[in-house]
Amino acid sequence: MVIIVATNEEYISHPLIKLNFVSRREYQESIFINCLNCNCLVVIPTGLGKTIIALMLAAHRLTEMSNSKVIFLAPTKPLVDQHYKSFLNLTLLSPDSLQVYTGAILPEKRNSLWNQTKIAFMTPQVLQNDLISGLYSIKDVSLIIFDECHRAVGDYAYCFIAKKYKESGNSHQILGLTASPGSTQEKINEIKENLFIDHVEIRTDKDLDVKPYIQKVDNQWIKIKLPKEFMEIKRFLEERLRTIYKWLKEKELINSFDINKITRKDLLKLNNIINRRISASRDDNEKFDMFNAKKLQANAIRISHMLELLETQGVHALKDYMDKNEEKIRDNTANKSLKELFTDQEIKKVIKYTKELISEGMVHPKLEKLKELLTSQIQDNNDSRILVFSHFRDSVNNIVRYFEDDNIIRPHKFVGQAHKGADKGLTQKAQITLLEEFKEGIYNTLVGTSVAEEGLDIAECDMVIFYDVVPSAIRSIQRRGRTGRKKEGKVYILMAEGTRDEGYYWAEKVKEKNMRENLKGIKNSENESKKGQASLLNFIEKPQRDGNSNEKVEGADQFKIVCDNRETASPVVRNLSLMGVDIKLEQLSVADYVISNRVGIERKTSKDFTDSIKDGRLFKELKSLTDTYERSLLILEEDPFIDSNLSENAIYGAISSIILNLGVTIYKTKDAKETAMFLYQLARREQSERKSALKLRFDKAPIEHSQLLEYIVAGIPGVNALRAKNLLKELKTLQNIFLADIPDLTKVENVGKKIAQEIYKISRFRYKNDN
């Protein structure tokens, strides 16, 4: 157990913690003690040392179970790196025993590192993939820390990891850390359920033991009035939107054509309503109207987005959006509704007027106010560090460009890794370097998207500016939490007057109030339980939670499925792993799943299925599948006729062509869980009946000569097991195959000109050894 020195002393004392390095705070000590023997969710305001609580519990677990390990998970690489450096500076553990695991480290290297590691720091995606691959065991892990654990909902990797950890033993402990668990009781309960939480420790800035450590943060919201030129564009867009709403109301698809009463959520829900009307209708005229309604619904969403960009971001962001859509139309990748929208005269006026305003130097007045705030802050304190948050990456780029020639403000964008067209993201390494440069003062202003919101501890940051408002309590709290950590801070919220900025602001306030009330209720319930005054709910017998959740299938580990490593983003691979199937992750050039030499499987969700019909990917992928495998299957997950932009005839035509022309078997599943079960049943049947383990090119070659010949020939791209057998039956030897001309090769059954050319080319290719 961690030893806390006498009350009048200032520091924590423990054999694994550096003496006189970690200040003693009563609330941290109290939380630590209450988390000792349970899976605990700790909700604590930002800047109050949640890392220290994690450190204390990790030190305790490693002392009590000296042969165990600890895993510290965080959602981003910069945050992982931050926690690693904190533990490196504060513990007496050997630096070699503290390791950061990233996807850039080869799996073999991660496997060898595991034996010498005491505390592993990683993102959940890295651990998830290692658990699926069976790279190492987590049986000897005595504690997993889930930072920013409000993410433990839905299909996020935290949920899978917690289940795998729970099923691997009984002497395990979980610690969840967050400043903002969610605005509803349901969300908080979902986190508790997914992380197997037994106890919740809550501290707020109103608690007496916390108050002395809360830094003052001055919160101000500033209303910005839109110029009359913006209002003119707004009028054009609203009139076009109102026309669409009137038509939709006439068809009884919405209840009002008041643009202030129809939300984005209403428009998204409308798609399902239209699809149901299409499915139920037997009248061709009504079907025609409903397909027209689908186009109008799609364009209503686009116009609504244009309005949001104009109101909250400005004409530059609106032009960027227009340019991207016009490029789609030029490249012939736009759908019919988009093409129709951009031929609309009102929209053409908007595009023309937007370009005119930009040429005149018009910007959103938020930019001018932002410049005023930044300049004043930096002139008052040259060492100031400022974070500016924007919801849209285009706006981040526009803000940085606006200040690029400024002598006082030195900005840099801070965005995620994803590349969006010509806009390049930042690698995790670049993000870490940028944060160091920000701390050093090379840049005094970071302009970031949501990637900068969570957990980053930048002590120097003394001002945060919301360039726009997000209707999320979690994100708003995370944004504000980047300042006031070690000293007083300021938060400014820029709000376009009379726009959805104001609506989002009040929506967020309501959610945050609900969160506080829910947390207060949970805290009171916990306190009553400690006093023996349990609520009536505590007398209701709760079902025992099984770490396996009945997902483990007896004997499943006897069967192997090779999965394309890009499929780990879907729940299917995680479900297979939880069932106990032996998973092999590989970079597959063809197929998503392989269950034997002869069976390859492609998986498509309903949306991906219809999208791949439109962009032409589907038939290319399935043709490669049939060229490579003797038996080819397509698993179609969910119903492609629901929530689709394609007509029934187009979908039926595609399905008919896949079955009749390509000879691919299609099997439909309702969700990822059913897909996983079907894959397991296929593997079991295939591998049991053929009484042989799954053998692919990375396995050991067979010993029997005829099988060895098939193995060698099947290694040629495009040649599957069936074609290898046909080639050997016809031409008898490897020599004959590799000396054959293209016309002779095409005479072999199932060998076309393309594959024949590949065999001919490879057999005559001169080996080069560049090493």
Side-chain angles (χ1 to χ4, degrees):
M1 184 177 193
V2 174
I3 302 165
I4 311 292
V5 296
T7 306
N8 59 349
E9 295 291 338
E10 196 177 345
Y11 298 100
I12 293 171
S13 173
H14 184 273
L16 295 182
I17 298 177
K18 289 181 180 178
L19 188 64
N20 296 347
F21 262 70
V22 181
S23 299
R24 174 187 181 272
R25 294 181 179 179
E26 286 185 11
Y27 68 87
Q28 291 173 340
E29 177 186 347
S30 172
I31 291 171
F32 161 71
I33 291 170
N34 290 336
C35 290
L36 275 178
N37 299 307
C38 60
N39 292 336
C40 191
L41 168 62
V42 175
V43 181
I44 187 170
T46 55
L48 290 181
K50 63 179 180 181
T51 304
I52 300 302
I53 296 165
L55 172 68
M56 293 164 71
L57 196 57
H60 169 73
R61 294 295 282 179
L62 292 176
T63 304
E64 292 289 298
M65 305 172 70
S66 57
N67 293 323
S68 70
K69 303 175 188 293
V70 169
I71 295 175
F72 201 135
L73 297 172
T76 65
K77 178 66 173 63
L79 200 45
V80 167
D81 195 62
Q82 179 179 292
H83 292 312
Y84 164 71
K85 288 177 179 176
S86 294
F87 272 57
L88 198 62
N89 292 332
L90 298 175
T91 69
L92 293 169
L93 289 165
S94 161
D96 289 341
S97 69
L98 304 177
Q99 292 288 342
V100 174
Y101 286 61
T102 71
I105 301 172
L106 291 174
E108 297 78 11
K109 176 69 173 173
R110 295 203 298 271
N111 180 269
S112 63
L113 277 176
W114 185 250
N115 294 327
Q116 68 187 54
T117 299
K118 292 301 287 181
I119 306 180
F121 302 84
M122 59 182 101
T123 61
Q125 289 74 25
V126 171
L127 181 56
Q128 170 188 273
N129 290 352
D130 288 352
L131 292 178
I132 288 170
S133 303
L135 197 62
Y136 43 77
S137 170
I138 55 172
K139 283 186 178 179
D140 58 349
V141 173
S142 60
L143 172 68
I144 295 185
I145 301 159
F146 294 84
D147 191 25
E148 309 297 346
C149 69
H150 51 267
R151 287 177 174 247
V153 293
D155 288 325
Y156 192 68
Y158 276 178
C159 309
F160 167 78
I161 291 166
K163 286 179 182 176
K164 292 293 283 186
Y165 185 49
K166 190 73 174 175
E167 75 180 27
S168 66
N170 296 318
S171 59
H172 295 158
Q173 189 169 4
I174 286 172
L175 175 66
L177 301 170
T178 183
S180 47
S183 58
T184 66
Q185 185 75 48
E186 291 75 19
K187 174 79 181 290
I188 297 168
N189 286 339
E190 185 181 357
I191 295 167
K192 289 171 63 180
E193 190 71 23
N194 289 340
L195 295 183
F196 302 93
I197 296 298
D198 306 310
H199 173 68
V200 182
E201 277 289 313
I202 298 168
R203 294 294 186 279
T204 70
D205 53 10
K206 307 297 182 189
D207 289 318
L208 294 177
D209 56 351
V210 167
K211 265 188 176 182
Y213 305 99
I214 297 289
Q215 298 292 338
K216 181 185 176 184
V217 176
D218 182 23
N219 288 276
Q220 293 185 39
W221 51 279
I222 301 170
K223 285 194 175 185
I224 309 288
K225 191 169 183 178
L226 293 181
K228 67 179 188 305
E229 292 87 352
F230 280 34
M231 298 304 290
E232 185 68 10
I233 296 176
K234 188 169 183 276
R235 185 180 64 78
F236 282 138
L237 291 173
E238 286 181 343
E239 190 55 44
R240 188 67 191 89
L241 193 58
R242 195 175 289 109
T243 302
I244 293 175
Y245 287 171
K246 282 181 179 178
W247 190 93
L248 293 172
K249 186 175 185 299
E250 284 175 11
K251 301 301 176 183
E252 299 180 346
L253 290 167
I254 56 177
N255 297 322
S256 171
F257 57 81
D258 185 340
I259 59 175
N260 294 316
K261 291 182 179 178
I262 304 297
T263 66
R264 182 81 56 86
K265 192 177 287 186
D266 294 329
L267 291 173
L268 292 171
K269 286 179 181 177
L270 183 57
N271 203 37
N272 290 332
I273 296 169
I274 295 169
N275 285 327
R276 284 196 295 270
R277 290 269 292 269
I278 291 171
S279 299
S281 177
R282 294 293 176 264
D283 182 272
D284 288 342
N285 289 329
E286 185 181 8
K287 279 194 174 184
F288 178 82
D289 281 345
M290 289 304 104
F291 280 114
N292 188 46
K294 286 178 79 69
K295 289 190 294 184
L296 292 175
Q297 179 255 1
N299 284 337
I301 291 173
R302 292 186 182 111
I303 296 170
S304 176
H305 184 61
M306 291 177 196
L307 278 165
E308 180 171 7
L309 290 175
L310 173 71
E311 293 173 348
T312 66
Q313 311 298 316
V315 285
H316 286 81
L318 178 58
K319 181 182 177 295
D320 289 341
Y321 178 72
M322 297 291 198
D323 288 347
K324 287 173 187 175
N325 284 301
E326 287 183 321
E327 186 178 349
K328 286 180 183 178
I329 293 169
R330 285 194 301 271
D331 294 344
N332 204 27
T333 57
N335 57 28
K336 195 173 180 181
S337 61
L338 180 60
K339 290 176 182 176
E340 288 184 5
L341 179 65
F342 273 67
T343 57
D344 183 273
Q345 291 306 309
E346 293 297 304
I347 299 300
K348 283 185 175 181
K349 286 181 187 175
V350 167
I351 295 171
K352 183 174 180 290
Y353 194 31
T354 299
K355 290 177 180 178
E356 287 174 2
L357 292 179
I358 290 173
S359 67
E360 293 168 8
M362 176 73 72
V363 296
H364 199 295
K366 280 185 182 181
L367 272 174
E368 295 162 345
K369 189 64 182 180
L370 179 62
K371 181 173 184 176
E372 179 189 320
L373 292 171
L374 294 176
T375 303
S376 174
Q377 177 71 12
I378 296 167
Q379 285 178 338
D380 287 349
N381 177 10
N382 195 46
D383 294 325
S384 188
R385 301 290 184 275
I386 304 161
L387 274 171
V388 179
F389 287 105
S390 176
H391 183 61
F392 299 100
R393 192 190 277 195
D394 283 345
S395 289
V396 168
N397 293 328
N398 286 328
I399 293 167
V400 172
R401 276 197 296 268
Y402 185 73
F403 293 113
E404 61 187 359
D405 296 324
D406 198 283
N407 295 323
I408 297 172
I409 303 160
R410 300 187 300 278
H412 200 291
K413 72 175 184 178
F414 192 88
V415 297
Q417 299 180 76
H419 298 325
K420 298 186 177 181
D423 181 23
K424 303 298 183 185
L426 293 176
T427 65
Q428 293 179 332
K429 186 177 180 181
Q431 290 172 5
I432 293 168
T433 302
L434 183 55
L435 286 173
E436 290 301 320
E437 291 173 343
F438 181 59
K439 290 178 182 179
E440 291 168 12
I442 295 172
Y443 305 104
N444 55 24
T445 304
L446 286 187
V447 186
T449 54
S450 58
V451 74
E453 290 172 357
E454 279 184 326
L456 297 178
D457 187 3
I458 305 167
E460 297 81 3
C461 181
D462 49 8
M463 179 187 279
V464 165
I465 299 174
F466 291 31
Y467 189 75
D468 47 29
V469 187
V470 285
S472 162
I474 290 175
R475 290 185 60 191
S476 186
I477 290 169
Q478 293 290 341
R479 282 184 175 189
R480 293 200 307 268
R482 296 316 100 216
T483 190
R485 300 176 76 87
K486 302 290 189 298
K487 57 184 178 181
E488 292 185 5
K490 299 174 186 174
V491 174
Y492 291 102
I493 302 166
L494 304 183
M495 188 188 310
E497 190 174 357
T499 70
R500 62 193 72 198
D501 262 351
E502 284 197 36
Y504 287 166
Y505 177 80
W506 294 113
E508 186 279 322
K509 284 297 172 193
V510 169
K511 289 177 181 177
E512 200 170 327
K513 181 183 177 184
N514 290 339
M515 181 190 295
R516 286 196 300 269
E517 289 175 353
N518 284 321
L519 289 175
K520 185 178 178 182
I522 292 171
K523 189 172 183 179
N524 290 339
S525 178
E526 293 273 348
N527 291 337
E528 287 174 1
S529 296
K530 287 177 188 175
K531 297 173 184 175
Q533 298 173 354
S535 69
L536 284 173
L537 290 174
N538 291 333
F539 289 95
I540 301 173
E541 187 176 350
K542 296 178 181 178
Q544 290 295 311
R545 287 183 304 188
D546 179 6
N548 299 332
S549 301
N550 297 320
E551 289 167 320
K552 196 89 170 176
V553 176
E554 188 175 350
D557 58 347
Q558 298 174 35
F559 306 102
K560 178 187 283 188
I561 298 178
V562 180
C563 307
D564 183 68
N565 53 22
R566 288 158 292 194
E567 279 289 296
T568 56
S570 83
V572 174
V573 179
R574 297 195 287 270
N575 280 316
L576 285 169
S577 179
L578 290 168
M579 289 164 65
V581 176
D582 183 6
I583 301 293
K584 179 86 172 175
L585 292 180
E586 290 288 330
Q587 181 91 35
L588 297 177
S589 57
V590 178
D592 292 325
Y593 302 91
V594 177
I595 61 171
S596 74
N597 282 343
R598 72 187 193 113
V599 182
I601 301 159
E602 189 75 23
R603 166 187 167 267
K604 296 285 184 193
T605 62
S606 59
K607 185 179 186 305
D608 190 26
F609 179 72
T610 54
D611 286 348
S612 62
I613 292 173
K614 286 188 285 186
D615 62 27
R617 282 183 295 119
L618 181 63
F619 292 99
K620 290 177 184 176
E621 290 171 355
L622 294 180
K623 181 67 170 63
S624 297
L625 193 69
T626 57
D627 286 345
T628 309
Y629 295 98
E630 183 181 337
R631 297 300 306 271
S632 301
L633 284 83
L634 170 64
I635 295 178
L636 185 49
E637 205 171 279
E638 303 159 348
D639 191 336
F641 294 98
I642 296 175
D643 196 19
S644 170
N645 288 322
L646 290 180
S647 68
E648 281 187 3
N649 287 340
I651 296 172
Y652 277 127
I655 291 172
S656 302
S657 181
I658 291 165
I659 296 170
L660 299 176
N661 299 341
L662 294 177
V664 175
T665 301
I666 299 179
Y667 184 84
K668 183 177 167 298
T669 61
K670 67 180 180 181
D671 54 28
K673 199 163 187 176
E674 189 176 309
T675 298
M677 179 55 74
F678 179 57
L679 285 168
Y680 161 68
Q681 295 293 348
L682 282 173
R684 189 179 72 158
R685 181 70 176 264
E686 175 72 2
Q687 293 169 25
S688 297
E689 286 195 352
R690 295 176 68 83
K691 293 184 168 53
S692 62
L694 172 59
K695 287 187 180 293
L696 290 183
R697 300 306 301 175
F698 44 79
D699 283 343
K700 188 177 178 181
I703 297 172
E704 201 275 318
H705 286 166
S706 292
Q707 288 183 354
L708 181 59
L709 293 177
E710 291 174 12
Y711 181 85
I712 293 169
V713 177
I716 301 169
V719 178
N720 57 22
L722 178 63
R723 289 196 181 93
K725 287 178 181 179
N726 290 343
L727 283 162
L728 287 163
K729 281 178 185 176
E730 185 71 28
L731 299 171
K732 306 303 181 187
T733 67
L734 290 178
Q735 185 180 32
N736 291 341
I737 292 170
F738 291 135
L739 291 178
D741 290 326
I742 291 172
D744 294 328
L745 290 168
T746 56
K747 292 176 184 177
V748 177
E749 187 182 356
N750 283 328
V751 176
K753 187 177 178 181
K754 186 177 177 182
I755 294 173
Q757 288 172 336
E758 189 71 25
I759 297 170
Y760 186 86
K761 183 179 75 174
I762 287 175
S763 65
R764 286 153 179 79
F765 186 81
R766 187 177 293 277
Y767 173 69
K768 295 175 184 176
N769 185 358
D770 297 326
N771 296 325

